[in-house]
């Protein structure tokens, strides 16, 4: 017969493997924030730069299915509920989207540009198709042994 501690451990492990535990924790954080949020206190006005940065972050969060984090960002920052048009963002950033895949967040293209671009390319920001793939459920886990050393060598 299993002990209560063993049952808790199995339940926690099962919920983690299914990805449910992370969603529950995020949902609880979002609900606590909403309960504590004082709606009578006006939000500070967004600068143009903060509006653009928040929108890039929102697009990234929604792509990676961090919907509760995105909802807190929108509520806390005063970002408009309706997302800004992607073409508007590209024009405001003076960027060019070479890739036809407009489902990849612009931040991935910006990151790819700075990781793989040359000094000559710095004057023109090209938002190319990212070398990054859609979310990998194993990305948050700590690699061990040889894999961790390989990753450090790759990015350092």
């Amino acid at each position: 017969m299993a002990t209560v501690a063993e049952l808790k451990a199995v339940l926690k492990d099962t919920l983690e493997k299914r990805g449910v535990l992370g969603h529950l924790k995020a949902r609880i954080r979002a609900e606590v924030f909403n309960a504590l949020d004082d709606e009578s206190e006006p939000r500070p006005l967004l600068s143009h730069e903060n509006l653009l940065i928040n929108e890039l972050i929102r697009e990234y969060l929604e792509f990676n299915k961090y919907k509760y984090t995105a909802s807190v960002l929108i509520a806390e920052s005063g970002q408009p509920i309706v997302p800004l048009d992607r073409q508007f963002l590209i024009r405001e950033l003076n960027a060019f989207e070479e890739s036809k895949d407009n489902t990849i967040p612009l931040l991935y293209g910006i990151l790819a540009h700075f990781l793989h671009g040359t000094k000559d390319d710095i004057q023109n920001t090209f938002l190319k198709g990212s070398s990054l793939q859609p979310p990998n459920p194993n990305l948050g886990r700590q690699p061990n042994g040889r894999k961790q050393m390989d990753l450090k060598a790759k990015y350092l």
Side-chain angles (χ1 to χ4, degrees):
M1 182 171 220
T3 67
V4 173
E6 291 171 335
L7 288 173
K8 284 182 182 179
V10 169
L11 180 59
K12 181 181 176 189
D13 187 51
T14 301
L15 291 175
E16 282 177 347
K17 286 181 182 174
R18 291 183 181 172
V20 174
L21 192 58
H23 287 290
L24 289 173
K25 287 179 179 179
R27 179 70 185 175
I28 289 169
R29 281 187 212 105
E31 289 300 326
V32 167
F33 173 79
N34 285 336
L36 296 175
D37 189 28
D38 183 5
E39 292 183 22
S40 65
E41 183 178 321
R43 300 278 180 246
L45 292 177
L46 279 174
S47 70
H48 184 69
E49 291 81 9
N50 282 355
L51 178 75
L52 296 175
I53 291 167
N54 290 345
E55 195 60 38
L56 290 170
I57 293 169
R58 180 203 334 227
E59 184 186 39
Y60 161 81
L61 291 172
E62 289 176 353
F63 175 79
N64 286 288
K65 300 187 179 11
Y66 301 144
K67 59 184 176 182
Y68 301 116
T69 306
S71 69
V72 170
L73 170 72
I74 293 164
E76 200 168 24
S77 68
Q79 192 77 4
I81 294 172
V82 176
L84 298 177
D85 180 66
R86 184 180 177 100
Q87 294 307 312
F88 171 78
L89 281 174
I90 291 169
R91 281 191 308 273
E92 289 298 303
L93 296 170
N94 293 320
F96 174 78
E97 188 172 33
E98 190 174 282
S99 172
K100 300 297 180 214
D101 186 2
N102 62 1
T103 62
I104 303 293
L106 296 173
L107 272 178
Y108 284 117
I110 293 167
L111 179 65
H113 167 74
F114 286 106
L115 286 175
H116 308 294
T118 64
K119 289 183 181 180
D120 295 334
D121 292 337
I122 290 178
Q123 291 180 354
N124 298 317
T125 302
F126 294 100
L127 300 174
K128 298 179 181 178
S130 171
S131 61
L132 302 174
Q133 298 301 314
N136 179 342
N138 295 322
L139 282 180
R141 297 204 171 96
Q142 286 290 335
N144 37 11
R146 178 85 179 163
K147 288 181 185 176
Q148 188 172 13
M149 290 172 45
D150 291 343
L151 285 174
K152 283 182 182 177
K154 181 177 177 181
Y155 291 106
L156 294 179

mmCIF file with all atom_site columns, all heavy atoms in Angstrom, residues 18-43:
data_model
loop_
_atom_site.group_PDB
_atom_site.id
_atom_site.type_symbol
_atom_site.label_atom_id
_atom_site.label_alt_id
_atom_site.label_comp_id
_atom_site.label_asym_id
_atom_site.label_entity_id
_atom_site.label_seq_id
_atom_site.pdbx_PDB_ins_code
_atom_site.Cartn_x
_atom_site.Cartn_y
_atom_site.Cartn_z
_atom_site.occupancy
_atom_site.B_iso_or_equiv
_atom_site.pdbx_formal_charge
_atom_site.auth_seq_id
_atom_site.auth_comp_id
_atom_site.auth_asym_id
_atom_site.auth_atom_id
_atom_site.pdbx_PDB_model_num
ATOM 1   N N   . ARG A 1 18 ? 2.476   15.824 -18.032 1.00 0.00 ? 18 ARG A N   1
ATOM 2   C CA  . ARG A 1 18 ? 1.381   16.235 -18.918 1.00 0.00 ? 18 ARG A CA  1
ATOM 3   C C   . ARG A 1 18 ? 1.387   17.738 -19.180 1.00 0.00 ? 18 ARG A C   1
ATOM 4   O O   . ARG A 1 18 ? 0.611   18.226 -19.998 1.00 0.00 ? 18 ARG A O   1
ATOM 5   C CB  . ARG A 1 18 ? 0.043   15.830 -18.316 1.00 0.00 ? 18 ARG A CB  1
ATOM 6   C CG  . ARG A 1 18 ? -0.180  14.341 -18.292 1.00 0.00 ? 18 ARG A CG  1
ATOM 7   C CD  . ARG A 1 18 ? -1.550  14.031 -17.758 1.00 0.00 ? 18 ARG A CD  1
ATOM 8   N NE  . ARG A 1 18 ? -1.772  12.589 -17.715 1.00 0.00 ? 18 ARG A NE  1
ATOM 9   C CZ  . ARG A 1 18 ? -2.807  12.030 -17.156 1.00 0.00 ? 18 ARG A CZ  1
ATOM 10  N NH1 . ARG A 1 18 ? -3.733  12.781 -16.576 1.00 0.00 ? 18 ARG A NH1 1
ATOM 11  N NH2 . ARG A 1 18 ? -2.942  10.736 -17.153 1.00 0.00 ? 18 ARG A NH2 1
ATOM 12  N N   . GLY A 1 19 ? 2.222   18.466 -18.472 1.00 0.00 ? 19 GLY A N   1
ATOM 13  C CA  . GLY A 1 19 ? 2.278   19.914 -18.642 1.00 0.00 ? 19 GLY A CA  1
ATOM 14  C C   . GLY A 1 19 ? 1.180   20.655 -17.921 1.00 0.00 ? 19 GLY A C   1
ATOM 15  O O   . GLY A 1 19 ? 1.033   21.862 -18.068 1.00 0.00 ? 19 GLY A O   1
ATOM 16  N N   . VAL A 1 20 ? 0.413   19.951 -17.130 1.00 0.00 ? 20 VAL A N   1
ATOM 17  C CA  . VAL A 1 20 ? -0.719  20.549 -16.433 1.00 0.00 ? 20 VAL A CA  1
ATOM 18  C C   . VAL A 1 20 ? -0.264  21.377 -15.237 1.00 0.00 ? 20 VAL A C   1
ATOM 19  O O   . VAL A 1 20 ? -0.816  22.444 -14.971 1.00 0.00 ? 20 VAL A O   1
ATOM 20  C CB  . VAL A 1 20 ? -1.709  19.444 -15.974 1.00 0.00 ? 20 VAL A CB  1
ATOM 21  C CG1 . VAL A 1 20 ? -2.832  20.015 -15.125 1.00 0.00 ? 20 VAL A CG1 1
ATOM 22  C CG2 . VAL A 1 20 ? -2.258  18.702 -17.169 1.00 0.00 ? 20 VAL A CG2 1
ATOM 23  N N   . LEU A 1 21 ? 0.742   20.914 -14.532 1.00 0.00 ? 21 LEU A N   1
ATOM 24  C CA  . LEU A 1 21 ? 1.182   21.596 -13.315 1.00 0.00 ? 21 LEU A CA  1
ATOM 25  C C   . LEU A 1 21 ? 1.655   23.022 -13.615 1.00 0.00 ? 21 LEU A C   1
ATOM 26  O O   . LEU A 1 21 ? 1.302   23.961 -12.901 1.00 0.00 ? 21 LEU A O   1
ATOM 27  C CB  . LEU A 1 21 ? 2.291   20.796 -12.621 1.00 0.00 ? 21 LEU A CB  1
ATOM 28  C CG  . LEU A 1 21 ? 2.643   21.225 -11.203 1.00 0.00 ? 21 LEU A CG  1
ATOM 29  C CD1 . LEU A 1 21 ? 1.423   21.167 -10.296 1.00 0.00 ? 21 LEU A CD1 1
ATOM 30  C CD2 . LEU A 1 21 ? 3.752   20.346 -10.645 1.00 0.00 ? 21 LEU A CD2 1
ATOM 31  N N   . GLY A 1 22 ? 2.417   23.183 -14.681 1.00 0.00 ? 22 GLY A N   1
ATOM 32  C CA  . GLY A 1 22 ? 2.871   24.521 -15.063 1.00 0.00 ? 22 GLY A CA  1
ATOM 33  C C   . GLY A 1 22 ? 1.713   25.444 -15.397 1.00 0.00 ? 22 GLY A C   1
ATOM 34  O O   . GLY A 1 22 ? 1.703   26.616 -15.012 1.00 0.00 ? 22 GLY A O   1
ATOM 35  N N   . HIS A 1 23 ? 0.717   24.909 -16.119 1.00 0.00 ? 23 HIS A N   1
ATOM 36  C CA  . HIS A 1 23 ? -0.463  25.709 -16.463 1.00 0.00 ? 23 HIS A CA  1
ATOM 37  C C   . HIS A 1 23 ? -1.239  26.098 -15.209 1.00 0.00 ? 23 HIS A C   1
ATOM 38  O O   . HIS A 1 23 ? -1.721  27.231 -15.099 1.00 0.00 ? 23 HIS A O   1
ATOM 39  C CB  . HIS A 1 23 ? -1.386  24.948 -17.416 1.00 0.00 ? 23 HIS A CB  1
ATOM 40  C CG  . HIS A 1 23 ? -0.852  24.861 -18.803 1.00 0.00 ? 23 HIS A CG  1
ATOM 41  N ND1 . HIS A 1 23 ? -0.775  25.945 -19.649 1.00 0.00 ? 23 HIS A ND1 1
ATOM 42  C CD2 . HIS A 1 23 ? -0.352  23.819 -19.498 1.00 0.00 ? 23 HIS A CD2 1
ATOM 43  C CE1 . HIS A 1 23 ? -0.261  25.580 -20.794 1.00 0.00 ? 23 HIS A CE1 1
ATOM 44  N NE2 . HIS A 1 23 ? 0.017   24.289 -20.733 1.00 0.00 ? 23 HIS A NE2 1
ATOM 45  N N   . LEU A 1 24 ? -1.362  25.163 -14.267 1.00 0.00 ? 24 LEU A N   1
ATOM 46  C CA  . LEU A 1 24 ? -2.077  25.469 -13.027 1.00 0.00 ? 24 LEU A CA  1
ATOM 47  C C   . LEU A 1 24 ? -1.369  26.558 -12.233 1.00 0.00 ? 24 LEU A C   1
ATOM 48  O O   . LEU A 1 24 ? -2.007  27.487 -11.733 1.00 0.00 ? 24 LEU A O   1
ATOM 49  C CB  . LEU A 1 24 ? -2.220  24.205 -12.165 1.00 0.00 ? 24 LEU A CB  1
ATOM 50  C CG  . LEU A 1 24 ? -3.200  23.152 -12.681 1.00 0.00 ? 24 LEU A CG  1
ATOM 51  C CD1 . LEU A 1 24 ? -3.102  21.889 -11.833 1.00 0.00 ? 24 LEU A CD1 1
ATOM 52  C CD2 . LEU A 1 24 ? -4.613  23.690 -12.686 1.00 0.00 ? 24 LEU A CD2 1
ATOM 53  N N   . LYS A 1 25 ? -0.048  26.455 -12.126 1.00 0.00 ? 25 LYS A N   1
ATOM 54  C CA  . LYS A 1 25 ? 0.713   27.464 -11.400 1.00 0.00 ? 25 LYS A CA  1
ATOM 55  C C   . LYS A 1 25 ? 0.569   28.831 -12.070 1.00 0.00 ? 25 LYS A C   1
ATOM 56  O O   . LYS A 1 25 ? 0.393   29.847 -11.397 1.00 0.00 ? 25 LYS A O   1
ATOM 57  C CB  . LYS A 1 25 ? 2.189   27.071 -11.321 1.00 0.00 ? 25 LYS A CB  1
ATOM 58  C CG  . LYS A 1 25 ? 2.461   25.940 -10.364 1.00 0.00 ? 25 LYS A CG  1
ATOM 59  C CD  . LYS A 1 25 ? 3.940   25.585 -10.367 1.00 0.00 ? 25 LYS A CD  1
ATOM 60  C CE  . LYS A 1 25 ? 4.270   24.473 -9.401  1.00 0.00 ? 25 LYS A CE  1
ATOM 61  N NZ  . LYS A 1 25 ? 5.706   24.134 -9.436  1.00 0.00 ? 25 LYS A NZ  1
ATOM 62  N N   . ALA A 1 26 ? 0.659   28.856 -13.399 1.00 0.00 ? 26 ALA A N   1
ATOM 63  C CA  . ALA A 1 26 ? 0.526   30.120 -14.133 1.00 0.00 ? 26 ALA A CA  1
ATOM 64  C C   . ALA A 1 26 ? -0.871  30.705 -13.950 1.00 0.00 ? 26 ALA A C   1
ATOM 65  O O   . ALA A 1 26 ? -1.037  31.917 -13.777 1.00 0.00 ? 26 ALA A O   1
ATOM 66  C CB  . ALA A 1 26 ? 0.828   29.905 -15.608 1.00 0.00 ? 26 ALA A CB  1
ATOM 67  N N   . ARG A 1 27 ? -1.869  29.848 -13.991 1.00 0.00 ? 27 ARG A N   1
ATOM 68  C CA  . ARG A 1 27 ? -3.256  30.307 -13.827 1.00 0.00 ? 27 ARG A CA  1
ATOM 69  C C   . ARG A 1 27 ? -3.466  30.890 -12.423 1.00 0.00 ? 27 ARG A C   1
ATOM 70  O O   . ARG A 1 27 ? -4.118  31.922 -12.260 1.00 0.00 ? 27 ARG A O   1
ATOM 71  C CB  . ARG A 1 27 ? -4.212  29.141 -14.087 1.00 0.00 ? 27 ARG A CB  1
ATOM 72  C CG  . ARG A 1 27 ? -5.653  29.458 -13.928 1.00 0.00 ? 27 ARG A CG  1
ATOM 73  C CD  . ARG A 1 27 ? -6.123  30.355 -15.019 1.00 0.00 ? 27 ARG A CD  1
ATOM 74  N NE  . ARG A 1 27 ? -7.507  30.721 -14.741 1.00 0.00 ? 27 ARG A NE  1
ATOM 75  C CZ  . ARG A 1 27 ? -8.188  31.561 -15.435 1.00 0.00 ? 27 ARG A CZ  1
ATOM 76  N NH1 . ARG A 1 27 ? -7.647  32.129 -16.480 1.00 0.00 ? 27 ARG A NH1 1
ATOM 77  N NH2 . ARG A 1 27 ? -9.407  31.849 -15.131 1.00 0.00 ? 27 ARG A NH2 1
ATOM 78  N N   . ILE A 1 28 ? -2.904  30.221 -11.412 1.00 0.00 ? 28 ILE A N   1
ATOM 79  C CA  . ILE A 1 28 ? -3.030  30.719 -10.040 1.00 0.00 ? 28 ILE A CA  1
ATOM 80  C C   . ILE A 1 28 ? -2.363  32.087 -9.917  1.00 0.00 ? 28 ILE A C   1
ATOM 81  O O   . ILE A 1 28 ? -2.922  33.010 -9.331  1.00 0.00 ? 28 ILE A O   1
ATOM 82  C CB  . ILE A 1 28 ? -2.431  29.707 -9.038  1.00 0.00 ? 28 ILE A CB  1
ATOM 83  C CG1 . ILE A 1 28 ? -3.337  28.482 -8.946  1.00 0.00 ? 28 ILE A CG1 1
ATOM 84  C CG2 . ILE A 1 28 ? -2.252  30.340 -7.658  1.00 0.00 ? 28 ILE A CG2 1
ATOM 85  C CD1 . ILE A 1 28 ? -2.730  27.312 -8.191  1.00 0.00 ? 28 ILE A CD1 1
ATOM 86  N N   . ARG A 1 29 ? -1.153  32.234 -10.505 1.00 0.00 ? 29 ARG A N   1
ATOM 87  C CA  . ARG A 1 29 ? -0.459  33.527 -10.449 1.00 0.00 ? 29 ARG A CA  1
ATOM 88  C C   . ARG A 1 29 ? -1.295  34.622 -11.107 1.00 0.00 ? 29 ARG A C   1
ATOM 89  O O   . ARG A 1 29 ? -1.410  35.736 -10.593 1.00 0.00 ? 29 ARG A O   1
ATOM 90  C CB  . ARG A 1 29 ? 0.896   33.431 -11.142 1.00 0.00 ? 29 ARG A CB  1
ATOM 91  C CG  . ARG A 1 29 ? 1.952   32.797 -10.303 1.00 0.00 ? 29 ARG A CG  1
ATOM 92  C CD  . ARG A 1 29 ? 3.317   32.896 -10.990 1.00 0.00 ? 29 ARG A CD  1
ATOM 93  N NE  . ARG A 1 29 ? 4.105   31.743 -10.648 1.00 0.00 ? 29 ARG A NE  1
ATOM 94  C CZ  . ARG A 1 29 ? 4.359   30.711 -11.431 1.00 0.00 ? 29 ARG A CZ  1
ATOM 95  N NH1 . ARG A 1 29 ? 3.940   30.695 -12.667 1.00 0.00 ? 29 ARG A NH1 1
ATOM 96  N NH2 . ARG A 1 29 ? 5.071   29.697 -10.996 1.00 0.00 ? 29 ARG A NH2 1
ATOM 97  N N   . ALA A 1 30 ? -1.863  34.303 -12.276 1.00 0.00 ? 30 ALA A N   1
ATOM 98  C CA  . ALA A 1 30 ? -2.677  35.289 -12.998 1.00 0.00 ? 30 ALA A CA  1
ATOM 99  C C   . ALA A 1 30 ? -3.904  35.677 -12.181 1.00 0.00 ? 30 ALA A C   1
ATOM 100 O O   . ALA A 1 30 ? -4.266  36.859 -12.107 1.00 0.00 ? 30 ALA A O   1
ATOM 101 C CB  . ALA A 1 30 ? -3.095  34.736 -14.355 1.00 0.00 ? 30 ALA A CB  1
ATOM 102 N N   . GLU A 1 31 ? -4.554  34.705 -11.549 1.00 0.00 ? 31 GLU A N   1
ATOM 103 C CA  . GLU A 1 31 ? -5.747  34.992 -10.743 1.00 0.00 ? 31 GLU A CA  1
ATOM 104 C C   . GLU A 1 31 ? -5.396  35.802 -9.503  1.00 0.00 ? 31 GLU A C   1
ATOM 105 O O   . GLU A 1 31 ? -6.134  36.708 -9.126  1.00 0.00 ? 31 GLU A O   1
ATOM 106 C CB  . GLU A 1 31 ? -6.463  33.691 -10.361 1.00 0.00 ? 31 GLU A CB  1
ATOM 107 C CG  . GLU A 1 31 ? -7.147  33.007 -11.525 1.00 0.00 ? 31 GLU A CG  1
ATOM 108 C CD  . GLU A 1 31 ? -8.215  33.876 -12.192 1.00 0.00 ? 31 GLU A CD  1
ATOM 109 O OE1 . GLU A 1 31 ? -8.891  34.676 -11.501 1.00 0.00 ? 31 GLU A OE1 1
ATOM 110 O OE2 . GLU A 1 31 ? -8.373  33.765 -13.417 1.00 0.00 ? 31 GLU A OE2 1
ATOM 111 N N   . VAL A 1 32 ? -4.258  35.495 -8.871  1.00 0.00 ? 32 VAL A N   1
ATOM 112 C CA  . VAL A 1 32 ? -3.817  36.275 -7.709  1.00 0.00 ? 32 VAL A CA  1
ATOM 113 C C   . VAL A 1 32 ? -3.536  37.704 -8.142  1.00 0.00 ? 32 VAL A C   1
ATOM 114 O O   . VAL A 1 32 ? -3.948  38.663 -7.476  1.00 0.00 ? 32 VAL A O   1
ATOM 115 C CB  . VAL A 1 32 ? -2.575  35.636 -7.045  1.00 0.00 ? 32 VAL A CB  1
ATOM 116 C CG1 . VAL A 1 32 ? -1.928  36.582 -6.049  1.00 0.00 ? 32 VAL A CG1 1
ATOM 117 C CG2 . VAL A 1 32 ? -2.961  34.323 -6.369  1.00 0.00 ? 32 VAL A CG2 1
ATOM 118 N N   . PHE A 1 33 ? -2.854  37.868 -9.272  1.00 0.00 ? 33 PHE A N   1
ATOM 119 C CA  . PHE A 1 33 ? -2.578  39.215 -9.774  1.00 0.00 ? 33 PHE A CA  1
ATOM 120 C C   . PHE A 1 33 ? -3.883  39.964 -10.029 1.00 0.00 ? 33 PHE A C   1
ATOM 121 O O   . PHE A 1 33 ? -4.029  41.125 -9.636  1.00 0.00 ? 33 PHE A O   1
ATOM 122 C CB  . PHE A 1 33 ? -1.745  39.162 -11.061 1.00 0.00 ? 33 PHE A CB  1
ATOM 123 C CG  . PHE A 1 33 ? -1.582  40.511 -11.691 1.00 0.00 ? 33 PHE A CG  1
ATOM 124 C CD1 . PHE A 1 33 ? -0.659  41.413 -11.207 1.00 0.00 ? 33 PHE A CD1 1
ATOM 125 C CD2 . PHE A 1 33 ? -2.396  40.891 -12.753 1.00 0.00 ? 33 PHE A CD2 1
ATOM 126 C CE1 . PHE A 1 33 ? -0.529  42.673 -11.764 1.00 0.00 ? 33 PHE A CE1 1
ATOM 127 C CE2 . PHE A 1 33 ? -2.272  42.140 -13.325 1.00 0.00 ? 33 PHE A CE2 1
ATOM 128 C CZ  . PHE A 1 33 ? -1.335  43.042 -12.823 1.00 0.00 ? 33 PHE A CZ  1
ATOM 129 N N   . ASN A 1 34 ? -4.839  39.311 -10.685 1.00 0.00 ? 34 ASN A N   1
ATOM 130 C CA  . ASN A 1 34 ? -6.120  39.969 -10.979 1.00 0.00 ? 34 ASN A CA  1
ATOM 131 C C   . ASN A 1 34 ? -6.855  40.353 -9.703  1.00 0.00 ? 34 ASN A C   1
ATOM 132 O O   . ASN A 1 34 ? -7.478  41.413 -9.637  1.00 0.00 ? 34 ASN A O   1
ATOM 133 C CB  . ASN A 1 34 ? -7.001  39.069 -11.842 1.00 0.00 ? 34 ASN A CB  1
ATOM 134 C CG  . ASN A 1 34 ? -6.530  39.014 -13.275 1.00 0.00 ? 34 ASN A CG  1
ATOM 135 O OD1 . ASN A 1 34 ? -5.857  39.928 -13.752 1.00 0.00 ? 34 ASN A OD1 1
ATOM 136 N ND2 . ASN A 1 34 ? -6.858  37.939 -13.959 1.00 0.00 ? 34 ASN A ND2 1
ATOM 137 N N   . ALA A 1 35 ? -6.774  39.501 -8.679  1.00 0.00 ? 35 ALA A N   1
ATOM 138 C CA  . ALA A 1 35 ? -7.450  39.798 -7.418  1.00 0.00 ? 35 ALA A CA  1
ATOM 139 C C   . ALA A 1 35 ? -6.797  40.985 -6.712  1.00 0.00 ? 35 ALA A C   1
ATOM 140 O O   . ALA A 1 35 ? -7.474  41.780 -6.065  1.00 0.00 ? 35 ALA A O   1
ATOM 141 C CB  . ALA A 1 35 ? -7.430  38.566 -6.516  1.00 0.00 ? 35 ALA A CB  1
ATOM 142 N N   . LEU A 1 36 ? -5.478  41.102 -6.829  1.00 0.00 ? 36 LEU A N   1
ATOM 143 C CA  . LEU A 1 36 ? -4.756  42.164 -6.140  1.00 0.00 ? 36 LEU A CA  1
ATOM 144 C C   . LEU A 1 36 ? -4.682  43.463 -6.941  1.00 0.00 ? 36 LEU A C   1
ATOM 145 O O   . LEU A 1 36 ? -4.357  44.515 -6.391  1.00 0.00 ? 36 LEU A O   1
ATOM 146 C CB  . LEU A 1 36 ? -3.330  41.705 -5.817  1.00 0.00 ? 36 LEU A CB  1
ATOM 147 C CG  . LEU A 1 36 ? -3.211  40.529 -4.847  1.00 0.00 ? 36 LEU A CG  1
ATOM 148 C CD1 . LEU A 1 36 ? -1.757  40.108 -4.720  1.00 0.00 ? 36 LEU A CD1 1
ATOM 149 C CD2 . LEU A 1 36 ? -3.799  40.873 -3.496  1.00 0.00 ? 36 LEU A CD2 1
ATOM 150 N N   . ASP A 1 37 ? -4.962  43.388 -8.223  1.00 0.00 ? 37 ASP A N   1
ATOM 151 C CA  . ASP A 1 37 ? -4.844  44.548 -9.092  1.00 0.00 ? 37 ASP A CA  1
ATOM 152 C C   . ASP A 1 37 ? -5.877  45.608 -8.716  1.00 0.00 ? 37 ASP A C   1
ATOM 153 O O   . ASP A 1 37 ? -7.069  45.337 -8.622  1.00 0.00 ? 37 ASP A O   1
ATOM 154 C CB  . ASP A 1 37 ? -5.032  44.139 -10.553 1.00 0.00 ? 37 ASP A CB  1
ATOM 155 C CG  . ASP A 1 37 ? -4.699  45.252 -11.510 1.00 0.00 ? 37 ASP A CG  1
ATOM 156 O OD1 . ASP A 1 37 ? -3.866  46.111 -11.179 1.00 0.00 ? 37 ASP A OD1 1
ATOM 157 O OD2 . ASP A 1 37 ? -5.279  45.258 -12.618 1.00 0.00 ? 37 ASP A OD2 1
ATOM 158 N N   . ASP A 1 38 ? -5.383  46.808 -8.512  1.00 0.00 ? 38 ASP A N   1
ATOM 159 C CA  . ASP A 1 38 ? -6.252  47.929 -8.170  1.00 0.00 ? 38 ASP A CA  1
ATOM 160 C C   . ASP A 1 38 ? -6.620  48.644 -9.463  1.00 0.00 ? 38 ASP A C   1
ATOM 161 O O   . ASP A 1 38 ? -5.838  49.415 -10.012 1.00 0.00 ? 38 ASP A O   1
ATOM 162 C CB  . ASP A 1 38 ? -5.527  48.878 -7.213  1.00 0.00 ? 38 ASP A CB  1
ATOM 163 C CG  . ASP A 1 38 ? -6.410  50.027 -6.762  1.00 0.00 ? 38 ASP A CG  1
ATOM 164 O OD1 . ASP A 1 38 ? -7.613  50.037 -7.109  1.00 0.00 ? 38 ASP A OD1 1
ATOM 165 O OD2 . ASP A 1 38 ? -5.887  50.910 -6.055  1.00 0.00 ? 38 ASP A OD2 1
ATOM 166 N N   . GLU A 1 39 ? -7.828  48.370 -9.957  1.00 0.00 ? 39 GLU A N   1
ATOM 167 C CA  . GLU A 1 39 ? -8.261  48.947 -11.235 1.00 0.00 ? 39 GLU A CA  1
ATOM 168 C C   . GLU A 1 39 ? -8.559  50.439 -11.132 1.00 0.00 ? 39 GLU A C   1
ATOM 169 O O   . GLU A 1 39 ? -8.669  51.114 -12.150 1.00 0.00 ? 39 GLU A O   1
ATOM 170 C CB  . GLU A 1 39 ? -9.459  48.180 -11.778 1.00 0.00 ? 39 GLU A CB  1
ATOM 171 C CG  . GLU A 1 39 ? -9.089  46.768 -12.191 1.00 0.00 ? 39 GLU A CG  1
ATOM 172 C CD  . GLU A 1 39 ? -10.254 46.020 -12.807 1.00 0.00 ? 39 GLU A CD  1
ATOM 173 O OE1 . GLU A 1 39 ? -11.199 46.663 -13.287 1.00 0.00 ? 39 GLU A OE1 1
ATOM 174 O OE2 . GLU A 1 39 ? -10.190 44.785 -12.811 1.00 0.00 ? 39 GLU A OE2 1
ATOM 175 N N   . SER A 1 40 ? -8.694  50.949 -9.915  1.00 0.00 ? 40 SER A N   1
ATOM 176 C CA  . SER A 1 40 ? -8.966  52.384 -9.774  1.00 0.00 ? 40 SER A CA  1
ATOM 177 C C   . SER A 1 40 ? -7.699  53.209 -10.000 1.00 0.00 ? 40 SER A C   1
ATOM 178 O O   . SER A 1 40 ? -7.772  54.399 -10.258 1.00 0.00 ? 40 SER A O   1
ATOM 179 C CB  . SER A 1 40 ? -9.538  52.682 -8.382  1.00 0.00 ? 40 SER A CB  1
ATOM 180 O OG  . SER A 1 40 ? -8.566  52.406 -7.388  1.00 0.00 ? 40 SER A OG  1
ATOM 181 N N   . GLU A 1 41 ? -6.545  52.562 -9.890  1.00 0.00 ? 41 GLU A N   1
ATOM 182 C CA  . GLU A 1 41 ? -5.278  53.256 -10.117 1.00 0.00 ? 41 GLU A CA  1
ATOM 183 C C   . GLU A 1 41 ? -4.965  53.233 -11.607 1.00 0.00 ? 41 GLU A C   1
ATOM 184 O O   . GLU A 1 41 ? -4.824  52.172 -12.207 1.00 0.00 ? 41 GLU A O   1
ATOM 185 C CB  . GLU A 1 41 ? -4.162  52.547 -9.345  1.00 0.00 ? 41 GLU A CB  1
ATOM 186 C CG  . GLU A 1 41 ? -2.825  53.229 -9.445  1.00 0.00 ? 41 GLU A CG  1
ATOM 187 C CD  . GLU A 1 41 ? -1.769  52.500 -8.620  1.00 0.00 ? 41 GLU A CD  1
ATOM 188 O OE1 . GLU A 1 41 ? -2.102  52.033 -7.530  1.00 0.00 ? 41 GLU A OE1 1
ATOM 189 O OE2 . GLU A 1 41 ? -0.635  52.396 -9.112  1.00 0.00 ? 41 GLU A OE2 1
ATOM 190 N N   . PRO A 1 42 ? -4.873  54.418 -12.229 1.00 0.00 ? 42 PRO A N   1
ATOM 191 C CA  . PRO A 1 42 ? -4.634  54.442 -13.681 1.00 0.00 ? 42 PRO A CA  1
ATOM 192 C C   . PRO A 1 42 ? -3.224  53.966 -14.029 1.00 0.00 ? 42 PRO A C   1
ATOM 193 O O   . PRO A 1 42 ? -2.275  54.136 -13.269 1.00 0.00 ? 42 PRO A O   1
ATOM 194 C CB  . PRO A 1 42 ? -4.806  55.922 -14.047 1.00 0.00 ? 42 PRO A CB  1
ATOM 195 C CG  . PRO A 1 42 ? -4.550  56.663 -12.783 1.00 0.00 ? 42 PRO A CG  1
ATOM 196 C CD  . PRO A 1 42 ? -4.959  55.752 -11.648 1.00 0.00 ? 42 PRO A CD  1
ATOM 197 N N   . ARG A 1 43 ? -3.127  53.339 -15.177 1.00 0.00 ? 43 ARG A N   1
ATOM 198 C CA  . ARG A 1 43 ? -1.836  52.863 -15.674 1.00 0.00 ? 43 ARG A CA  1
ATOM 199 C C   . ARG A 1 43 ? -1.054  54.044 -16.236 1.00 0.00 ? 43 ARG A C   1
ATOM 200 O O   . ARG A 1 43 ? -1.635  54.982 -16.793 1.00 0.00 ? 43 ARG A O   1
ATOM 201 C CB  . ARG A 1 43 ? -2.031  51.839 -16.804 1.00 0.00 ? 43 ARG A CB  1
ATOM 202 C CG  . ARG A 1 43 ? -2.804  50.626 -16.390 1.00 0.00 ? 43 ARG A CG  1
ATOM 203 C CD  . ARG A 1 43 ? -1.875  49.648 -15.686 1.00 0.00 ? 43 ARG A CD  1
ATOM 204 N NE  . ARG A 1 43 ? -2.609  48.471 -15.286 1.00 0.00 ? 43 ARG A NE  1
ATOM 205 C CZ  . ARG A 1 43 ? -2.823  48.134 -14.018 1.00 0.00 ? 43 ARG A CZ  1
ATOM 206 N NH1 . ARG A 1 43 ? -2.379  48.873 -13.054 1.00 0.00 ? 43 ARG A NH1 1
ATOM 207 N NH2 . ARG A 1 43 ? -3.489  47.053 -13.727 1.00 0.00 ? 43 ARG A NH2 1
#
